[in-house]
C-alpha cells in the first residue's frame, strides 16, 4: 500500500530557533530496529505541541540515563573544541540523509565528526548547537540561558547548501 499525505510547508526560520529538552519516557516515542521512518509520530507530535506552548521550535529528547537521543522531527548536533558531536545510532535513532551529508562535509572546516554520548548535564558546555533535516537543512538552535555565535554552524549551513546545489 502507498499512502500520500499533503501538508502545507511551513516557513523555514532564518534565525536560530529555541529548543527544549524533554524526557522521552513521558511521550510514546517509538523506535524500530532496524531504524525506519514510520508514520507513527504521535509521541513526537505531542511533545512538539508542548514545546510550542513554551515558545520552542523543536524538542530534544533524552533518555532515562539523561543521554540526548534525537529531536522530535530532526537530528541534533553539538560543537565543542572543533568536535562535531551527535548521539550514537545505537540509541535506536534514525540516521537521516542530512545527518550523513553533514558527517561528510564537516572535515572541510576541520571539524572532527564524533558519534558519542551527550549527557543533558553537559549541554551548557557546548560552543554551538544545531538541528538538521532534509527540510530545514542546518538550523542553529539555542535553549534557555545558553547562547552562541554559531560561526562554525553557519559555515556548515553554507557547505550543505552548496553541496545540495551540485
Amino acid at each position: 500500500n502507498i499512502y500520500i499525505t499533503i501538508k502545507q510547508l511551513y516557513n523555514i526560520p532564518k534565525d536560530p530557533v529555541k529548543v527544549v529538552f524533554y524526557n522521552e519516557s513521558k511521550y510514546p516515542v517509538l523506535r524500530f530496529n532496524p531504524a525506519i521512518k514510520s508514520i507513527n509520530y504521535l509521541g513526537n507530535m505531542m511533545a512538539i505541541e508542548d514545546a510550542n506552548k513554551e515558545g520552542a521550535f523543536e524538542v530534544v529528547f533524552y533518555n532515562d540515563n539523561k543521554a540526548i537521543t534525537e529531536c522530535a522531527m530532526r537530528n541534533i548536533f553539538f560543537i565543542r573544541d572543533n568536535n562535531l558531536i551527535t548521539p550514537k545510532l545505537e540509541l535506536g535513532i534514525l540516521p537521516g540523509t542530512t545527518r550523513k551529508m553533514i558527517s561528510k562535509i564537516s572535515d572541510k572546516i576541520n571539524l572532527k565528526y564524533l558519534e558519542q554520548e551527550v549527557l543533558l548535564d553537559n549541554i551548557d558546555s557546548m560552543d554551538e548547537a544545531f538541528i538538521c533535516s532534509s527540510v530545514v537543512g542546518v538550523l542553529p538552535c539555542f535553549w534557555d540561558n545558553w547562547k552562541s555565535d554559531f560561526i562554525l554552524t553557519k559555515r556548515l549551513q553554507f557547505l550543505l547548501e552548496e553541496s545540495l546545489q551540485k
Side-chain angles (χ1 to χ4, degrees), residues 28-120:
V29 175
L30 298 178
R31 294 203 177 94
F32 299 95
N33 191 1
I36 60 167
K37 203 161 219 180
S38 133
I39 61 171
N40 189 348
Y41 280 102
L42 177 62
N44 301 56
M45 293 297 99
M46 290 169 57
I48 289 282
E49 188 175 305
D50 289 347
N52 289 340
K53 290 176 188 171
E54 292 187 53
F57 180 78
E58 178 63 280
V59 172
V60 180
F61 288 119
Y62 60 91
N63 62 25
D64 287 335
N65 296 326
K66 291 196 172 185
I68 302 296
T69 55
E70 62 186 337
C71 298
M73 301 303 296
R74 297 162 186 91
N75 289 110
I76 180 95
F77 286 85
F78 300 94
I79 298 173
R80 183 176 59 211
D81 301 327
N82 286 338
N83 291 312
L84 180 62
I85 306 164
T86 193
K88 298 178 191 181
L89 294 177
E90 288 80 18
L91 292 168
I93 62 177
L94 190 66
T97 55
T98 305
R99 173 185 162 120
K100 187 174 184 177
M101 290 180 75
I102 290 168
S103 75
K104 291 180 180 181
I105 63 173
S106 62
D107 65 330
K108 291 182 180 182
I109 57 171
N110 297 318
L111 282 175
K112 182 179 179 184
Y113 178 80
L114 301 171
E115 289 185 11
Q116 67 183 41
E117 184 176 73
V118 178
L119 295 176
L120 181 64

